Amino acid sequence: MKKNILNKTRKLLRFVVYILLPLAGGGWVGVSCSEDIDESNLYTFTGETIEDYLVNRSERFSSFNYILSRIGYDKILSAYGTYTCFAPDNDAVTAYVDSLYEDMSNPELPHNGMTKPGLEGLTDSLCNDIALFHLLGTEVMSVYMGNGMTVKTILGREITTSLDTATNQVAINRNSLILAKGIDKDLENGVLHEISQVITRSNLLIAGEMEMHQDQFSVFSNALKATGLADSLTALSHDFEKISIKTGFYLPNKCEMGYTIFAETDDSLAALGIVDVETLAEYARKAYANCENWYDYVRNNNIEISYGTDYKNPWNVLSMFLRYHILKYKIPYTKLTNHHNEISKVTLVEYYETMLPYTLLKVTKNGTSLRLNRWVANSSLTDRVAELMSESLRPVMFEGIELAGQKSQISPTNGYIHPINGVLVYDANVVRGALNERLRFDDASLFGEMMSNSFRRITDSEVDALNGGKRGTDGDLSGAYIRIPPGFLEYMKIYNGDETRLYYLPGQSSGWSNYQGDEFNCKGHYDFAMRLPPVPEGTYELRIGYTAEGNEQRGMLQFYLGSSSDLTTMKALDIPLDMRLVPVNNADLTPDVYTGWCDWTKLDDKGVESDVNMRNLGYMRGPLYYTVGINSGNYARNNPKDLRRILTRQHFGQGEYWLRFKSVLDSDHHQFHLDYIEFCPENVYNSTTYIEDMF
């Protein structure tokens, strides 16, 4: 007990020094590898730092410490801060370095660039990559790793943890185990985990990495080359505008890009007689024959589909087949669906846009597995008030294509490859079945860069680490926000530069009443637009989910809808929305005059009639899907601040639509808030058989 108290006291003192020393005029020692090390302000501890731990056990860790010292990180790990260090011993480092030198697979970079065998032969670049791939800018204990998590290293690349069932130990990237004797060494400036071997990483791009796995993906890999897609999946980053108004929040200096491929294994294809590119092309010809009957974008734009051998034609059926397997952003297995504050009875679902133009791919967590395009009939409807549809009326029409699992994930330098146990196609069953439901999109899922840069589901402590331990303020806005510069998001257009100050709050460590915890927030005289996700052609309600706040905190805005980000295509939707209007919770259950909201839990019909009245005013309650805060037991539907605004009911073609948000207030301190959007098809919101469920 005494030792625990002392440890907590040291942690508190470390925190005080961590926060106050920079304010006292000292130079900041951050976690970015681009920062210079200021040796004049290193803090002296009474216990062991991470560096002390390594030095005091040099007979086991001198090789890893040598690599750290080559880039100056031995000094950083002697200083204040909070880190996680995965430390391989000398034997593990020797084995890894030897493997690097013996590797002659790349004739353009023999020996991986090493100048000679052994530690001294490592280049500074290799030392940097090895060292920083074993360090996190925040503290992560092993107890949280066994359930599976993905965290970003100081190198900027992610590692994934899982439980190795054979040894019952935590595995890092499948092959490196946290040793039982090395679990959670709680030190003065973080935690150290002793690991069984160096955490390996690939420096190959995604198509090159797949080619290295010819034993598993020979058909898919050769098809990528035949279509020319292998040469196009090379993006690593893109430029964006610099901002002049700094507010102290974390501001990214690089925008990473990448890809995610859901790839059939050779075994999965062989089960259907597909053994090479030609037989795969023949399968695609049959799968996409007459696709204009369900692929609305093709039909409406009179696109000519090629069934020949001109595989590099983007509208050749083989190219179409492959493009539907590829996302233009990188998502690890652990983040393909998102668990945060949903209630236990609901199913986790995400929708992602693929590289086949204007198509969506659905990912469902079914039990412990993930499946693509799983189709359950009546999935957004119910025959029972405030309950999900009776199971007998929700037959599974298609189980979906199962992903092989987290341990099968492959991690090239610019993305992820997820093996799948089945053949994936975009067909009529996807359009009329799997996607024929209420489509709810979390705010961050609308922009690939939020996934590629590991911002979605990042924790507060990780944001703080990226920001050097600091937090910014912008009027009444404070917290672990990320500033999103103009041009950072491809599918967002900011019309007035620094006048629109856009922020993202991951919210994973807070109790905000948000779907999946996160939100976009905007300050200033904002005027911006975002491209909406593509949906199959049909009539939909377009809704926006937000939380209202009084006391002048939120603002008032006008919505516009257009066919592009060009302002001349934009037309106003309804009257402006005042996000400052919090519904009044009248004790006598009198509906709020503006929104029609009242406490549905006290109504005999559980709010059915009240829901109709709210819809007539253009509003809906928040869903029963999630709670206000984590495990609070208080549903968003119960919270008068949780609202959905119905922006329009209209026909949407399968193509380009942009939604514009423009402040109509003179003051620049009001907040805009976006939590999620919904596309709800007419056969759901206007069903003649059942009603749309409240979830």
Side-chain angles (χ1 to χ4, degrees):
M1 175 66 75
K2 182 177 181 181
K3 182 178 179 181
N4 289 337
I5 292 173
L6 288 173
N7 283 338
K8 290 180 180 178
T9 303
R10 288 197 193 104
K11 293 277 186 179
L12 179 60
L13 289 172
R14 182 205 316 162
F15 174 79
V16 172
V17 173
Y18 184 74
I19 296 299
L20 295 183
L21 189 53
L23 301 179
W28 181 260
V29 180
V31 298
S32 170
C33 58
S34 63
E35 294 187 67
D36 295 329
I37 302 165
D38 183 356
E39 298 182 38
S40 64
N41 289 294
L42 301 185
Y43 180 66
T44 302
F45 299 100
T46 57
E48 283 188 317
T49 63
I50 292 174
E51 173 63 12
D52 291 334
Y53 187 90
L54 299 173
V55 169
N56 293 340
R57 295 155 186 80
S58 59
E59 73 282 359
R60 288 162 53 204
F61 299 109
S62 59
S63 295
F64 182 61
N65 204 39
Y66 167 84
I67 295 172
L68 291 171
S69 66
R70 281 277 298 273
I71 64 167
Y73 252 75
D74 56 334
K75 297 180 178 64
I76 287 183
L77 296 179
S78 298
Y80 54 80
T82 304
Y83 307 96
T84 297
C85 175
F86 299 99
D89 66 16
N90 292 341
D91 291 341
V93 172
T94 297
Y96 180 70
V97 172
D98 288 348
S99 72
L100 290 178
Y101 189 77
E102 293 166 3
D103 180 13
M104 299 294 290
S105 60
N106 185 355
E108 297 181 1
L109 194 67
H111 308 297
N112 288 282
M114 289 182 63
T115 58
K116 60 181 179 180
L119 285 171
E120 290 75 13
L122 291 171
T123 62
D124 289 344
S125 176
L126 280 170
C127 287
N128 181 81
D129 289 358
I130 295 169
L132 301 189
F133 199 53
H134 287 72
L135 297 172
L136 310 178
T138 186
E139 189 175 275
V140 180
M141 311 301 278
S142 62
V143 66
Y144 302 115
M145 299 184 195
N147 292 328
M149 64 187 306
T150 300
V151 289
K152 199 167 190 177
T153 65
I154 295 179
L155 181 62
R157 294 183 58 181
E158 293 174 324
I159 58 174
T160 300
T161 73
S162 60
L163 184 65
D164 182 77
T165 53
T167 63
N168 202 35
Q169 292 173 288
V170 172
I172 314 294
N173 281 9
R174 294 189 296 173
N175 57 8
S176 184
L177 301 177
I178 294 181
L179 302 175
K181 65 180 180 181
I183 288 179
D184 294 352
K185 300 298 183 184
D186 194 11
L187 304 170
E188 291 285 359
N189 58 348
V191 61
L192 181 143
H193 306 290
E194 297 180 20
I195 56 177
S196 62
Q197 62 187 73
V198 171
I199 306 172
T200 56
R201 72 205 178 284
S202 170
N203 288 324
L204 295 172
L205 298 180
I206 197 163
E209 182 67 30
M210 179 168 282
E211 189 172 10
M212 293 295 291
H213 290 77
Q214 282 282 331
D215 59 330
Q216 190 177 5
F217 300 111
S218 65
V219 177
F220 200 101
S221 176
N222 291 334
L224 282 178
K225 288 184 285 186
T227 57
L229 285 168
D231 298 325
S232 67
L233 305 178
T234 58
L236 294 172
S237 63
H238 73 72
D239 296 329
F240 53 90
E241 299 176 36
K242 304 302 179 183
I243 64 172
S244 57
I245 300 177
K246 304 287 181 67
T247 51
F249 295 103
Y250 171 65
L251 180 66
N253 55 24
K254 180 181 180 181
C255 184
E256 296 183 16
M257 298 175 64
Y259 307 90
T260 301
I261 297 180
F262 302 96
E264 288 91 353
T265 63
D266 288 348
D267 289 343
S268 295
L269 294 173
L272 296 176
I274 302 170
V275 295
D276 53 24
V277 171
E278 288 70 30
T279 50
L280 180 61
E282 182 59 31
Y283 182 90
R285 291 185 189 103
K286 296 176 181 177
Y288 286 90
N290 303 313
C291 64
E292 62 273 7
N293 290 335
W294 70 85
Y295 192 176
D296 309 312
Y297 180 75
V298 166
R299 179 183 63 252
N300 295 337
N301 290 276
N302 298 312
I303 294 172
E304 183 177 353
I305 303 300
S306 168
Y307 298 93
T309 58
D310 55 338
Y311 299 143
K312 293 188 178 181
N313 178 345
W315 291 107
N316 179 279
V317 289
L318 180 60
S319 180
M320 292 171 61
F321 176 89
L322 294 176
R323 289 171 189 271
Y324 190 62
H325 291 65
I326 307 172
L327 313 181
K328 204 170 70 171
Y329 34 92
K330 49 188 180 182
I331 313 178
Y333 184 92
T334 57
K335 294 185 179 181
L336 282 168
T337 57
N338 294 278
H339 161 70
H340 184 69
N341 53 351
E342 77 284 348
I343 63 175
S344 60
K345 66 175 69 175
V346 298
T347 301
L348 298 182
V349 176
E350 293 286 343
Y351 308 95
Y352 297 110
E353 184 174 357
T354 79
M355 287 185 64
L356 183 62
Y358 302 105
T359 62
L360 292 177
L361 180 72
K362 177 182 174 182
V363 182
T364 302
K365 186 169 186 180
N366 180 37
T368 59
S369 67
L370 299 184
R371 294 182 178 270
L372 305 180
N373 290 339
R374 190 169 192 264
W375 173 18
V376 178
N378 299 321
S379 61
S380 302
L381 294 166
T382 187
D383 60 337
R384 299 180 293 180
V385 177
E387 291 291 341
L388 293 173
M389 176 73 87
S390 301
E391 286 297 319
S392 61
L393 299 175
R394 299 180 68 222
V396 178
M397 309 299 291
F398 176 57
E399 285 288 357
I401 306 298
E402 186 178 20
L403 275 70
Q406 178 185 342
K407 294 181 181 179
S408 299
Q409 167 184 283
I410 300 171
S411 307
T413 189
N414 67 333
Y416 292 94
I417 301 168
H418 300 294
I420 57 177
N421 300 324
V423 181
L424 176 67
V425 293
Y426 182 72
D427 60 14
N429 288 333
V430 176
V431 176
R432 299 165 187 165
L435 297 178
N436 186 22
E437 60 187 7
R438 178 185 55 233
L439 306 169
R440 182 177 295 150
F441 298 85
D442 176 62
D443 51 5
S445 75
L446 301 170
F447 307 100
E449 295 86 352
M450 301 303 293
M451 277 79 81
S452 291
N453 290 273
S454 306
F455 291 163
R456 191 179 186 192
R457 290 184 61 189
I458 193 173
T459 64
D460 286 5
S461 60
E462 289 176 287
V463 176
D464 290 343
L466 289 171
N467 204 31
K470 305 183 295 293
R471 289 191 177 182
T473 58
D474 188 349
D476 56 1
L477 196 68
S478 63
Y481 285 86
I482 297 171
R483 178 78 180 270
I484 307 297
F488 189 87
L489 305 177
E490 178 185 1
Y491 291 146
M492 180 174 287
K493 173 72 172 179
I494 293 177
Y495 296 108
N496 57 354
D498 282 345
E499 284 293 298
T500 298
R501 303 189 297 279
L502 181 68
Y503 301 99
Y504 174 69
L505 178 68
Q508 301 306 295
S509 309
S510 61
W512 297 112
S513 181
N514 288 329
Y515 174 59
Q516 298 187 6
D518 59 351
E519 65 181 48
F520 275 114
N521 209 301
C522 200
K523 299 278 286 188
H525 295 288
Y526 52 84
D527 188 2
F528 66 98
M530 68 180 189
R531 202 198 74 160
L532 294 173
V535 294
E537 184 171 9
T539 299
Y540 293 86
E541 274 189 351
L542 173 61
R543 310 161 179 168
I544 180 175
Y546 71 100
T547 55
E549 290 289 350
N551 300 321
E552 300 295 309
Q553 185 172 341
R554 295 281 191 254
M556 181 184 292
L557 70 153
Q558 178 66 57
F559 295 97
Y560 301 80
L561 186 66
S563 59
S564 75
S565 59
D566 187 339
L567 292 176
T568 62
T569 73
M570 300 281 185
K571 295 183 179 179
L573 296 177
D574 203 8
I575 62 174
L577 170 64
D578 193 342
M579 291 186 168
R580 301 168 298 178
L581 296 177
V582 177
V584 177
N585 187 6
N586 295 305
D588 62 357
L589 302 182
T590 303
D592 175 68
V593 64
Y594 295 105
T595 66
W597 193 95
C598 62
D599 188 350
W600 71 279
T601 65
K602 298 177 180 178
L603 299 174
D604 293 339
D605 67 351
K606 298 185 179 180
V608 172
E609 183 179 353
S610 174
D611 285 346
V612 173
N613 293 335
M614 288 187 67
R615 289 177 57 82
N616 290 335
L617 293 171
Y619 288 92
M620 296 176 66
R621 292 179 170 86
L624 273 175
Y625 180 96
Y626 64 93
T627 59
V628 179
I630 303 172
N631 298 322
S632 69
N634 183 27
Y635 303 117
R637 179 173 166 83
N638 304 2
N639 183 16
K641 293 183 177 182
D642 274 287
L643 295 169
R644 284 176 279 183
R645 173 73 169 206
I646 301 170
L647 300 183
T648 184
R649 299 183 187 98
Q650 68 173 65
H651 177 270
F652 284 86
Q654 187 176 21
E656 196 89 356
Y657 291 91
W658 286 72
L659 184 64
R660 180 187 178 194
F661 311 84
K662 188 178 188 301
S663 174
V664 297
L665 299 178
D666 292 332
S667 172
D668 74 347
H669 73 272
H670 296 287
Q671 297 178 9
F672 163 78
H673 177 268
L674 172 64
D675 188 5
Y676 57 92
I677 66 166
E678 292 178 350
F679 275 97
C680 188
E682 184 177 28
N683 63 292
V684 172
Y685 73 77
N686 200 27
S687 172
T688 58
T689 308
Y690 305 112
I691 60 172
E692 180 183 351
D693 67 42
M694 296 177 178
F695 295 85

